[in-house]
C-alpha cells in the first residue's frame, strides 16, 4: 500500500506515536470510532472486505442522507470522498486499521481492523443504532 499526498502510509511502530500494526491501544481504537464517517466506513468493510474509495464515499453519502445509493448526486459523493481521502482514511491507515492503495484507490482491512470491528460490534448497536440499521438493511439479517 502506498501513501497519498504524503499523508497516508502503513504504521511503522516507531517513536512517532503511531501504534505498531500488531497492537492498537484502546485510545486509538476509540478515537478511530469517534467520527460517524469512520464508523460507516468500517461497517462497510466489515462485510465487503475491499472497496474503492469512490464506492465507499457514495455509500456513506447515501447513509448520511438516509436515501438510496443510486439517488446520491455526484457533488455530494465528491464532498464525502474528499473528506475520506484527506481526513478519515489517513487516520485509519496510520493506526493500521485499513490499508489504502493509491494505484486503484481501494481500501481494505489491515492488521488492527479486527480489534476495532470487535469494539464496533459490541457497542455499535447500543450507541449507533441508525448506522447499524443502515448496515443491516444493506447486508441483510445475517449481518453481525
Amino acid at each position: 500500500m502506498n501513501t497519498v499526498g504524503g499523508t497516508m502510509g502503513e504504521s511503522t511502530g516507531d517513536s512517532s506515536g503511531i501504534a505498531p500494526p500488531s497492537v492498537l491501544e484502546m485510545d486509538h481504537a476509540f478515537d478511530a470510532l469517534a467520527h460517524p464517517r469512520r464508523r460507516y466506513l468500517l461497517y462497510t468493510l466489515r462485510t465487503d472486505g475491499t472497496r474503492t474509495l469512490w464506492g465507499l464515499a457514495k455509500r456513506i453519502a447515501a447513509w448520511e442522507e438516509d436515501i438510496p445509493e443510486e439517488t446520491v448526486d455526484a457533488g455530494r459523493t465528491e464532498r464525502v470522498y474528499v473528506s475520506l481521502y484527506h481526513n478519515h482514511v489517513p487516520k485509519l491507515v496510520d493506526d493500521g486499521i485499513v490499508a489504502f492503495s493509491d494505484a486503484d484507490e481501494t481500501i481494505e482491512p489491515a492488521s488492527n481492523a479486527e480489534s476495532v470491528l470487535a469494539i464496533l460490534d459490541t457497542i455499535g448497536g447500543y450507541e449507533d443504532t441508525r448506522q447499524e440499521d443502515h448496515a443491516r438493511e444493506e447486508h441483510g439479517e445475517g449481518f453481525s
Side-chain angles (χ1 to χ4, degrees):
M1 298 289 153
N2 299 321
T3 61
V4 175
T7 60
M8 286 193 222
E10 291 189 39
S11 299
T12 60
D14 61 11
S15 62
S16 67
I18 297 172
S22 60
V23 177
L24 186 65
E25 293 180 14
M26 190 68 73
D27 288 344
H28 289 278
F30 282 113
D31 191 40
L33 295 170
H35 196 281
R37 282 202 177 145
R38 290 193 292 267
R39 290 192 304 271
Y40 272 139
L41 185 153
L42 292 168
Y43 277 121
T44 299
L45 290 182
R46 174 173 48 192
T47 55
D48 294 351
T50 301
R51 294 282 302 215
T52 65
L53 186 57
W54 185 262
L56 278 167
K58 188 168 186 161
R59 175 167 291 165
I60 291 168
W63 282 352
E64 287 178 348
E65 296 295 323
D66 204 16
I67 60 175
E69 200 170 320
E70 60 274 1
T71 64
V72 176
D73 66 67
R76 174 74 174 135
T77 301
E78 186 165 344
R79 287 188 296 277
V80 173
Y81 172 93
V82 168
S83 170
L84 291 172
Y85 185 86
H86 290 291
N87 185 19
H88 302 296
V89 172
K91 169 155 193 41
L92 296 173
V93 168
D94 286 347
D95 285 337
I97 299 167
V98 301
F100 181 81
S101 170
D102 277 331
D104 54 5
E105 291 197 340
T106 55
I107 298 171
E108 63 187 10
S111 60
N112 289 324
E114 190 173 318
S115 60
V116 174
L117 290 172
I119 294 169
L120 186 63
D121 286 342
T122 302
I123 63 173
Y126 297 107
E127 300 298 325
D128 219 6
T129 56
R130 181 173 173 233
Q131 289 187 319
E132 182 82 11
D133 288 346
H134 282 134
R136 285 189 188 285
E137 289 169 10
E138 183 74 25
H139 299 290
E141 288 302 314
F143 177 80
S144 60

